[in-house]
Amino acid sequence: SGLPVGSDLEFADELTLGRALKPTERTALERTRATFATYYEKNPAEARALLTVGETPVGKNLDPVELAQWTLVSSQFFNLDEFLTK
């Protein structure tokens, strides 16, 4: 995305939770993103495989490593009880 990680997390939390992240939430999400960034940088075929799931094709101009890591971070937001019950 070209934005600092914090900016992307702020964007995601505003869209999903409508509030700022708590420090512990931010730390957990930043750790998740960093873990998957490292994993997918070493395993780009796995990133591409993850992105084949679903109906919408991935744009050719998107970095599959970055998109895969943010896909999993986004999944964490969507699985929060707070998101599911609002």
Side-chain angles (χ1 to χ4, degrees):
S1 71
L3 294 173
V5 171
S7 297
D8 289 338
L9 287 174
E10 290 168 10
F11 179 74
D13 72 36
E14 285 298 320
L15 284 177
T16 57
L17 304 177
R19 63 163 175 81
L21 290 172
K22 298 172 187 169
T24 55
E25 293 169 329
R26 177 176 297 285
T27 299
L29 290 162
E30 287 173 346
R31 188 176 306 131
T32 296
R33 192 216 49 84
T35 298
F36 285 115
T38 300
Y39 177 78
Y40 287 127
E41 285 168 4
K42 293 177 182 175
N43 302 284
E46 293 289 325
R48 289 189 294 278
L50 173 68
L51 300 175
T52 64
V53 176
E55 296 179 17
T56 305
V58 175
K60 302 273 187 224
N61 61 335
L62 299 174
D63 176 9
V65 169
E66 184 176 9
L67 186 56
Q69 65 186 278
W70 282 105
T71 296
L72 294 174
V73 170
S74 298
S75 176
Q76 281 189 300
F77 277 103
F78 296 142
N79 284 300
L80 291 170
D81 286 340
E82 186 175 349
F83 175 78
L84 296 170
T85 59
K86 283 198 170 211

